[in-house]
Each structure stands twice: as C-alpha cells, then as structure tokens.
C-alpha cells in the first residue's frame, strides 16, 4: 500500500472526525424494516434487530426493555444477511499465484491481502460483507485461502481457511510441469499418497495432512468433466472434504457430487449462457448438492436472480448467497445469518434482493455502516419503548 | 433403398430402447450377420436381452417367447467396431505431459471427456470401443485405456483403465527439445532427447533402471517408490503390453531390438514401413497396428520420420501371417475406421480379414474379447446394423447399439 505523505498528517484529524461522526462503539443500534430475513428460511415481518458491539444481540418483533439503542427505521426496505463470496481473488491474482512452482500448498493468501485494493472497496455496494481470498487457479496447489471482511477494520479475520487446488486449464502451463491434465492429476495423487504414507515432510505436507484428516476443506478449481471427475476421484481416494469451484460441467457429474457429498461454488452466470448452464443451479438443488454463487462480485446478485429465472426457488437462491458459502467456509457461527451472536453483517434493499429492480440501500459490517446511507427517519422511540415494555 | 424404408429401421430400433433397458429380449431378424471371427450367417437371427447377446445363428435360431422383433431384412449386422489406436476423446495437449520425457504412470483415462465430439464421429462409423493412449510427444507417454464410445454412465464405459504402455520411437518425441540458444535458460525444453539416439537412450535408461530395481528388490534395501518404475516393471514381468509407435523402417527395427533386449512384449503401432521389415516382424511374433492404411503420408512429423506408406501393406501382412489390426491412429489424414478397413480390402486382402482386423483381432489384442469384438452369446450386445455390407462404399451405420441400447444418431 502506498499513501501520500499528507495522509500521515491528516490521519489523526480524520480519525478524530470519524470518532465524532460515528456513534460511540458502545452504543447499541436498533434497526427496523418491513422485512428482516434472519436466515433464508426465517423471515420476520416488521421486525427489529438490536446490534451490540458489532454482533446481533437480538432479533424479533419486540425490543428488549433495557434497550437504550439508537433507533433507525429503514421503513419498507428488506434487511438480509450480508452476502458471502466463497471464492474470490479481488483483483490480486498476480500476488495470489506463485509462478515459480506449480505446487505450493503452504502459501497463505492472507499474506497477499491488500486491504486498500480498489477492487475491495465496491464489495459492500453489492451486498457482500465477507469473502474468501483464494490463491489463483494457475497453480495445481495454490495455497490456503483467507477470510476477508469488507468492514471498516479491513483486517483478515481469524484463522486461515481451506486449501485451494486447481485442475483447471490455467494450472497447465506449457513452460513448466505439469503441462497436461494427466500430469496435474498425477502430481496431486502422488503428493497426497506420499503424505498419507508418511513419506512426505515439511510445511506443504503438513497442510495436506490436515486435508487428509478432514480438518481443512479442499477447494478444487475444475471445469470440464475430466477435471471434475479427477477431483472427485481424489476426494474419494483420500477422503477429502471437497468443494468444486467454477465447475462448469457439474451437470455431468451430478450423481457423483451427491454421492460424495461434495459442494459447488459456481462462477458468474451469464444471461447469454446455454440453457443447461443457466439451469445448473436448479439441477444441483434437485440433486441435493450444496452450492453457492461466486464469480464477479458486481454480478453476484444477478447470478442468483438468473438462477431463479430458470427454476431455482428463492429460498435456495438466497441460501446460496448467504448460508451455504458461510458453511463452506466453516463460518456459520458468525456469517450467513442474522441470528443472535452472529456478526451484524447485513445488506438493506428496497425489496427482495433477488428482484433486480430492488435497489441497494445500505450495507453494514460488524454493526457499522460501510456503504449506502442511514435511513432519513429514526424510529419513533415511544412506539418502540411501548413494544419493549410489553 | 428408399428414404422411407431407410428411416424405418432406426425408428423401430429406437422404440426397442425401452425394452432393452427393461431386460426384455429383442430379436433382430433377417439380416446378414458377420459375427466376427466366423463365417457369415445369411438370414440370421440375433437375440439380445439385458445388454447381452443371448443367441446368434441362422434362421432356425429360437426366439424367446414375448421377444420384440426387428425386421432387418436386407441389412448387415456386425459386432461394434474396435479402434485399437484412437486419436480423440481428450485435448491433445492434455494427452502429452511435456514436463518430462518419460512418464509411464500417467493415465490417458484421467483426461478423457466422455462428450468429446470424436466419440460421436466414431459412433457414426460403427465404432463402439476405442483404445486411447497418451499422445506421441513423449518417449514413454503413459497408460492407455479402453472405453466404449457411448453409455449412460461414464464410469461404466471403461473396459480397462490401464491396457497398454505407450512408447514412441522416431523424431516426434524429440520435437521441441533444444539446447540453450539465448532463450529462457530455465525452459523445461532444454533437455534430452533431441535426436533418435537420444530417444532410444531414454527408453533404455528407463527400462534399465526398472530392471535394476526389480533385481535389487530381493534382500536389498527398497528403492524409493516410483510409480513410473512400477509400471515399467509390470511391462518387464509381462503383465502389461508395450505399444511402441514406430513408423519408419529404422524405428520399427529399433523398437523390436529394444523389446528383445529387455525381453518385454510389444505391439508395433503405426508401422507404415512394415512391408519393408516383414521378416523381422514375423520372426519377433509381434502384432502390428496399421494406422490409417489409406493415408498417403506418414503421421507425426512426416519428413523427419521418413516412412513411405504403401497401400498394399495390409495385404502383405495378411499373406505373411503377421497378426495385424487396422486402426485410425494418430494420422490426421485417417478416414473413419470402417473406411480404413474398406480401403485395406480394396488393396487386396479378403473382406473377412479386413472386418476381423477391426473387430475380433483388436478385441483379442486388448484382452477384451470376453466382452466384445464378436457376436456370441454372453458378450456385450455391442453391434451395428448397416444399410449395406459394411465394406461397401455406400454403407451407413443405420443404428449402433452399445450394451443393447441403440445410441441416438444425433449425438
């Protein structure tokens, strides 16, 4: 990151100004709206969310009696859990692929994270509150993904996430081995085999061992039938917790996906794609394969809407933006829902976010407004208090 | 045949698909049956049920009660054809691992795409089973697999996941390799071989190391595990057949010499100069794969390999009693398999021999003759209903059946 020298001078002033403008961290917030989606299957009409210290302290129709929160009324709007991107490179591809070697399972995407990258800034405007920054698919074993939140702290959150592998075309490079899919498959098979037999040591083997033990999920970038089939073979032979990323031809391996309980992270759905591609989310849902939407952040909501247009039910579509990606990243305790104890990450739209004529109003991360606006009117304290006293 | 009757048979066949799926018997009546490896049966009866052949014979063959019947009068039925060297099923770049020259353990099966258009083209030519080997850019490319060209489930299409080990002689494996001439000094292509001598050195070194590991394995400290060496050891122990691609005379001689030196069994693939070395081939008792007998030019880097194909090679091999199989191989000029068989017959071999060379002969070579390659009770119901004799230039595969199911022609 580069900052101009004036930043150093202005920083304390800005910080002070920010403190004045922001509500004190300790002050609770009480938001209300016509519809509050607590989780994809639980919707509250005319409900309220109490935010305390960045977390959801209460969701319901009545306000707790002791609440002295600052009250904000979003009127007819809909509040939904913040969207989670289960796979993203956020414009940092060049720093997320070690080009000298094809096999770098122990590299950490967290080390490449630039919190001021320009592609990170617009994420909240699209309702996205968290993303898995993932090694690029140019390496057969790229490394370990990191959880990124789009809030004001801009930090990398908590522990590292899954191991990112790739059998997709970008992982085959004519200037370094492996140049072919056969070679890429063999490289992974041998590495897992050697680790399983205890013949491999070192930090890369340690990561593979976690994958073999099931303590670390394995995301595999794969598109064609042969790539997906090879990934599923690896998952079966080594007992991996498998998530397939991009998975263009997932429709051809549906029975295996269901049988092996693998999940899918879909790339951006394009309206001009073949019908089979547009219907893929519906087919995945029918087969009982968990999946989520990812790809270009600005088109995330459109992907979900297109899937709904081609037969996916709205509840599953919303799950695929919130709960499922949170689950794939092992973050259901804090992300993907507005239940008590979860992070206060949510987006506000004028209507159902799966209707593309619903406009984005605001996005809040960890209880702080990061995009959009606060409502023009505050909730009437008297009414709220009355409800709270009841 | 009128257009109307020509489409009648496929329509009838399509309606039998559901019956086949239920395991109900279907009898194909009145066709001339060329069962593969046996004499033709006029006015024959072919009964299939549950994906298998139940009976095949002449007019008097019993048809089970309740069997659906398909009138095939005027048609010819053959076993599904088998292409023992099929270029297709995967992207060429994915069948050639350029990271190393010797990659015996890599599996062609890992990069097969069941929806590759090459399978549909093969089906249209009556081919129901193919042998796909790794490409020809490596000295030792890896393991070939045998798959059917269609089927409900990709996994069920696999007959053998490791049927052969591909070795390549000649100029092709050394293509692209070079010395440092001011380019990237870290290029992976800065390596041996750059010559025919280098190609042979790579093969010899690989088998030498494998043999040494085998000999040391008794009582000695075990060598570090090497999946490639284990594959070569299987070849040395006679458990796996090498398929050595050798087009020109000198390459065929070299392939035979190396095989004799290490005592392994090999098939000579794409042997376009076989007519020159017929004595050696006969003496070595090897099977020859004739890649695209109709092609006037050599596959691969033609000028570098220097072979001179002759149309009469197949006839010569037949006369000399050298076992051979007709394939399409890696030659881009290849016609479809049935036309290659037609071409071989046109140049002097018997029709029966030409048909056997694309049915029962490749089945025996690949060790799948228990499943397919001829029409016999108990085998998979892989067969083709032809509009004419299959070696007639006007012959069309009216319907192709795999495991008893007619494969939709629109694929």
């Amino acid at each position: 990151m580069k900052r101009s020298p004036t930043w150093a001078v202005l920083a304390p002033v800005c910080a002070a100004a920010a403190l004045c403008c922001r509500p004190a961290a300790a002050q609770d917030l009480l938001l209300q709206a016509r519809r509050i989606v607590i989780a994809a299957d639980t919707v509250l009409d005319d409900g309220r969310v109490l935010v305390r210290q960045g977390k959801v302290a209460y969701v319901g129709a009545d306000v707790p009696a002791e609440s002295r929160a600052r009250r904000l009324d979003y009127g007819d709007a809909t509040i939904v859990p913040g969207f989670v991107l289960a796979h993203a490179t956020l414009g940092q591809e060049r720093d997320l692929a070690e080009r000298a070697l094809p096999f770098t399972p122990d590299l950490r995407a967290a080390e490449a994270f630039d919190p001021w990258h320009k592609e990170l800034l617009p994420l909240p405007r699209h309702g996205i509150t968290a993303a898995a920054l993932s090694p690029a698919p140019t390496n057969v074993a790229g490394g370990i993904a990191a959880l990124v939140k789009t809030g004001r702290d801009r930090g990398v959150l908590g522990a590292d996430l899954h191991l990112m592998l790739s059998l997709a075309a970008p992982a085959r490079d004519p200037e370094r081995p492996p140049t072919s899919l056969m070679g890429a498959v063999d490289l992974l098979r041998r590495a897992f085999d050697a680790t399983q037999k205890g013949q491999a040591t070192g930090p890369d083997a340690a990561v593979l061992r976690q994958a073999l033990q099931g303590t670390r999920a394995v995301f595999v970038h794969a598109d064609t039938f042969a790539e997906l089939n090879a990934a599923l073979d690896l998952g079966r032979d080594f007992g991996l917790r498998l998530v397939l990323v991009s998975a263009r031809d997932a429709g051809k391996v549906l029975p295996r996906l269901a049988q092996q309980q693998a999940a899918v992270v879909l790339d951006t759905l394009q309206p001009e794609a073949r019908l089979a591609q547009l219907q893929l989310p519906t087919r995945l849902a029918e087969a009982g394969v968990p999946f989520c939407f990812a790809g270009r952040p600005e088109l995330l909501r459109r992907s979900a809407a297109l899937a709904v247009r081609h037969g996916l039910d709205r509840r599953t579509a919303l799950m695929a933006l919130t709960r499922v990606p949170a689950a794939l990243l092992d973050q259901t305790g804090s992300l993907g829902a507005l239940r008590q104890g979860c992070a206060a990450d949510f987006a506000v739209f004028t209507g159902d976010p799966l209707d593309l004529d619903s406009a984005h109003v605001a996005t809040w991360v960890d209880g702080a407004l990061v995009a959009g606006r606060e409502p023009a009117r505050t909730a009437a304290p008297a009414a709220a208090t009355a409800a709270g006293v009841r | 045949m009128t257009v109307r009757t020509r489409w009648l048979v496929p329509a009838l066949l399509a309606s039998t698909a559901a019956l086949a799926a239920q395991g109900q018997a279907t009898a194909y009546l009145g066709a001339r049956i060329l069962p593969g490896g046996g004499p033709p049966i006029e006015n024959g009866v072919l009964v299939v049920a549950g994906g298998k052949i139940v009976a095949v014979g002449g007019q008097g063959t019993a048809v089970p009660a309740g069997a659906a019947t398909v009138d095939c009068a005027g048609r010819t039925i053959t076993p599904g054809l088998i292409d023992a060297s099929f270029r297709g099923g995967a992207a060429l770049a994915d069948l050639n691992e350029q990271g190393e020259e010797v990659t015996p353990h890599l599996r062609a099966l890992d990069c097969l795409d069941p929806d590759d258009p090459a399978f549909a083209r093969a089906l249209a030519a009556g081919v129901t089973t193919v042998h796909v080997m790794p490409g020809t850019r490596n000295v030792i490319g890896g393991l070939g697999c045998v798959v059917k060209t269609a089927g409900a489930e990709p996994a069920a299409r696999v007959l053998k996941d490791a049927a052969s080990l591909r070795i390549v002689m000649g100029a092709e494996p050394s293509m692209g390799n070079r010395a440092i001439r001011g380019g990237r000094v870290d290029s992976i292509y800065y390596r041996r071989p750059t010559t025919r001598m280098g190609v042979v050195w790579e093969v010899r070194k690989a088998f030498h190391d494998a043999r040494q590991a085998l000999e040391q394995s008794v009582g000695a400290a075990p060598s570090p595990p090497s999946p490639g060496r284990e594959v070569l050891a299987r070849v040395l122990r006679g458990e796996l057949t090498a398929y050595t691609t050798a087009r020109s005379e000198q390459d065929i001689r070299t392939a035979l010499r190396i095989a004799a030196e290490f005592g392994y069994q090999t098939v000579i693939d794409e042997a376009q100069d076989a007519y020159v070395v017929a004595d050696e081939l006969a003496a070595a008792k090897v099977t020859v794969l004739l890649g695209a007998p109709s092609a006037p030019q050599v596959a691969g880097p033609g000028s570098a390999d220097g072979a001179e194909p002759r149309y009469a090679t197949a006839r010569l091999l037949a006369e000399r009693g050298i076992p051979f199989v007709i394939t399409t191989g890696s030659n881009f000029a290849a016609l479809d398999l049935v036309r290659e068989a037609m071409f071989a017959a046109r140049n002097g071999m018997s029709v029966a021999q030409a048909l056997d060379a694309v049915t029962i002969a490749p089945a025996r070579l690949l060790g799948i003759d228990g499943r397919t390659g001829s029409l016999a009770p108990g085998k998979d119901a892989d067969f083709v209903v032809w509009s004419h004799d299959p070696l007639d230039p006007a012959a069309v595969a009216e319907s192709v059946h795999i495991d008893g199911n007619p494969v939709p022609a629109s694929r």
Side-chain angles (χ1 to χ4, degrees), chain A residues 200-245:
Chain A
T201 53
D204 48 357
V207 175
L208 297 194
R209 206 168 297 120
Q210 292 162 349
L212 288 168
Q213 290 162 351
T215 54
R216 196 183 287 280
V218 177
F219 281 40
V220 186
H221 213 288
D223 277 313
T224 65
F225 170 85
E227 294 161 10
L228 292 164
N229 206 40
L232 286 162
D233 282 352
L234 281 172
R236 178 198 60 203
D237 295 347
F238 296 102
L240 308 176
R241 279 167 56 206
L242 203 60
V243 178
L244 296 157
V245 179

Side-chain angles (χ1 to χ4, degrees), chain B residues 13-108:
Chain B
L13 294 170
S15 67
T16 62
L19 296 176
Q22 293 161 8
Q24 189 183 340
T26 307
Y28 298 84
L29 308 173
R32 180 170 196 256
I33 297 179
L34 307 174
I41 304 166
E42 303 298 337
N43 202 4
V45 175
L46 173 69
V47 185
V48 304
K52 299 281 180 188
I53 295 169
V54 177
V56 60
Q59 206 169 1
T61 306
V63 175
T69 58
V70 180
D71 180 11
C72 293
R75 275 42 174 216
T76 302
I77 293 180
T78 67
L81 308 189
I82 300 172
D83 195 342
S85 176
F86 180 70
R87 175 179 57 81
L92 270 185
D94 274 332
L95 283 167
N96 290 294
E97 172 52 45
Q98 296 288 286
E100 291 173 73
E101 283 300 342
V102 177
T103 55
H105 54 291
L106 296 193
R107 308 188 319 156

Side-chain angles (χ1 to χ4, degrees), chain A residues 54-296:
Chain A
K55 291 187 187 302
V56 176
Y58 168 84
V59 187
D62 304 333
V63 185
E66 76 279 10
S67 173
R68 295 174 192 281
R70 186 166 163 253
R71 293 160 195 274
L72 299 171
D73 181 2
Y74 272 110
D76 288 340
T78 299
I79 295 179
V80 294
F83 302 152
V84 180
L85 262 184
H87 177 83
T89 45
L90 304 178
Q92 302 175 36
E93 294 82 4
R94 288 181 62 80
D95 258 348
L96 286 166
E98 180 53 48
R99 277 171 296 280
L101 296 166
F103 189 76
T104 55
D106 51 323
L107 297 192
R108 300 173 63 233
E111 328 267 26
F113 179 53
D114 173 4
W116 296 93
H117 196 282
K118 65 177 191 303
E119 288 204 23
L120 198 60
L121 303 177
L123 294 189
R125 286 211 299 274
H126 308 300
I128 298 165
T129 56
L133 183 71
S134 308
T138 43
N139 276 13
V140 177
I144 298 166
L147 185 63
V148 171
K149 289 198 71 169
T150 58
R152 289 183 172 176
D153 292 342
R154 301 189 163 275
V156 174
L157 254 200
D160 292 329
L161 300 172
H162 49 268
L163 168 63
M164 190 73 221
L165 306 178
S166 173
L167 291 170
R172 283 112 69 182
D173 181 343
E175 293 301 327
R176 61 114 176 91
T179 67
S180 66
L181 181 56
M182 287 193 305
V185 173
D186 180 64
L187 176 64
L188 290 178
R189 197 180 281 146
R190 286 169 76 172
F192 277 113
D193 190 50
T195 306
Q196 198 170 48
K197 290 176 177 161
Q199 293 160 347
T201 53
D204 48 357
V207 175
L208 297 194
R209 206 168 297 120
Q210 292 162 349
L212 288 168
Q213 290 162 351
T215 54
R216 196 183 287 280
V218 177
F219 281 40
V220 186
H221 213 288
D223 277 313
T224 65
F225 170 85
E227 294 161 10
L228 292 164
N229 206 40
L232 286 162
D233 282 352
L234 281 172
R236 178 198 60 203
D237 295 347
F238 296 102
L240 308 176
R241 279 167 56 206
L242 203 60
V243 178
L244 296 157
V245 179
S246 193
R248 192 189 63 221
D249 285 352
K252 296 179 183 174
V253 289
L254 276 182
R256 283 199 75 181
L257 286 170
Q259 187 194 348
Q260 291 186 222
Q261 299 180 330
V264 170
V265 178
L266 293 169
D267 205 346
T268 307
L269 276 190
Q270 299 288 0
E272 66 272 23
R274 283 169 175 254
L275 195 58
Q277 211 59 38
L278 292 163
Q279 290 171 339
L280 180 59
T282 311
R283 293 184 62 204
L284 288 168
E286 286 167 357
V289 176
F291 69 94
C292 64
F293 297 104
R296 288 167 59 185

Side-chain angles (χ1 to χ4, degrees), chain B residues 88-89 106 190 199:
Chain B
L106 296 193
Y190 169 48
V199 170

Side-chain angles (χ1 to χ4, degrees), chain B:
Chain B
M1 181 171 35
T2 65
V3 172
R4 208 164 65 89
T5 54
R6 181 166 163 173
W7 289 106
L8 190 61
V9 170
L12 282 170
L13 294 170
S15 67
T16 62
L19 296 176
Q22 293 161 8
Q24 189 183 340
T26 307
Y28 298 84
L29 308 173
R32 180 170 196 256
I33 297 179
L34 307 174
I41 304 166
E42 303 298 337
N43 202 4
V45 175
L46 173 69
V47 185
V48 304
K52 299 281 180 188
I53 295 169
V54 177
V56 60
Q59 206 169 1
T61 306
V63 175
T69 58
V70 180
D71 180 11
C72 293
R75 275 42 174 216
T76 302
I77 293 180
T78 67
L81 308 189
I82 300 172
D83 195 342
S85 176
F86 180 70
R87 175 179 57 81
L92 270 185
D94 274 332
L95 283 167
N96 290 294
E97 172 52 45
Q98 296 288 286
E100 291 173 73
E101 283 300 342
V102 177
T103 55
H105 54 291
L106 296 193
R107 308 188 319 156
L109 185 63
D110 282 334
C111 54
L112 278 205
D113 174 5
D115 289 338
D116 190 283
F119 287 125
R121 286 197 294 274
L123 270 168
V127 177
T128 55
T129 303
V130 293
H131 174 218
V132 183
M133 290 184 275
T136 47
R137 297 296 299 271
N138 281 29
V139 177
I140 299 183
L143 297 163
C145 59
V146 182
V147 296
K148 293 196 180 184
T149 47
E153 181 59 31
R157 286 167 57 175
V158 181
L159 293 178
K160 278 195 165 188
D161 58 357
S164 62
L165 173 70
R166 182 166 228 171
I167 302 172
V168 184
M169 294 291 161
E172 199 172 357
S174 58
M175 280 172 61
N177 293 349
R178 54 188 176 259
I180 298 175
R181 293 277 188 269
R184 282 179 55 172
V185 292
D186 61 340
S187 169
I188 58 170
Y189 300 100
Y190 169 48
R191 66 177 182 212
R192 275 198 278 202
T194 61
T195 59
R196 272 190 162 76
M197 293 187 301
V199 170
V200 176
W201 182 89
E202 291 277 5
V203 178
R204 187 173 276 130
K205 179 177 187 307
F207 277 108
H208 174 269
D209 290 351
R211 188 164 66 182
Q212 206 164 41
L214 270 183
E215 287 166 356
Q216 281 176 351
S217 62
V218 184
S223 319
S226 159
R229 209 181 302 136
E230 280 160 29
V231 171
L232 296 176
R234 287 178 58 201
V235 175
L236 289 174
R237 288 195 297 259
E239 299 162 6
L240 184 68
T241 304
Y243 280 54
T244 312
T245 303
R247 294 159 184 144
S248 70
E249 176 193 348
Q250 68 182 117
D251 295 333
I252 297 172
R253 288 188 203 281
T254 307
L256 293 175
R257 197 170 59 245
I258 298 277
E261 185 178 326
F262 288 95
Y264 63 78
Q265 191 186 2
T266 189
V267 168
I268 304 295
D269 174 38
E270 304 204 348
Q272 280 159 311
D273 269 359
Y275 65 95
V276 188
V277 280
D279 291 340
E280 288 87 338
L281 290 168
K285 294 186 169 56
V286 295
T287 300
V288 173
L289 298 193
L290 277 177
S294 75
Q297 72 266 38
V298 188
S303 58
D305 270 358
E308 289 182 22
R310 294 280 191 274
Y311 291 148
T313 304
R315 186 195 68 201
L316 178 89
L317 293 176
E319 286 169 0
R320 294 291 305 268
I322 297 168
F324 69 94
V325 167
I326 295 172
T327 72
T328 54
S330 66
N331 201 322
F332 283 89
L335 304 172
D336 59 41
L337 188 64
V338 71
R339 301 286 178 252
E340 290 296 349
M342 177 193 87
F343 202 91
R346 161 72 183 77
N347 283 283
M349 63 191 294
S350 75
V351 168
Q353 275 177 320
L355 263 183
D356 285 356
V358 289
T359 52
I360 188 66
R364 287 188 184 128
L365 180 68
L366 294 165
I368 52 168
D369 51 325
R371 294 271 309 264
T372 184
S374 64
L375 300 176
K379 288 198 180 188
D380 293 357
D382 297 351
F383 62 96
V384 186
V385 181
W386 300 90
S387 61
H388 298 68
D389 184 285
L391 300 189
D392 185 307
V396 173
E398 286 190 341
S399 68
V400 181
H401 301 246
I402 291 183
D403 297 326
N405 297 312
V407 182
S410 58
R411 277 174 55 86

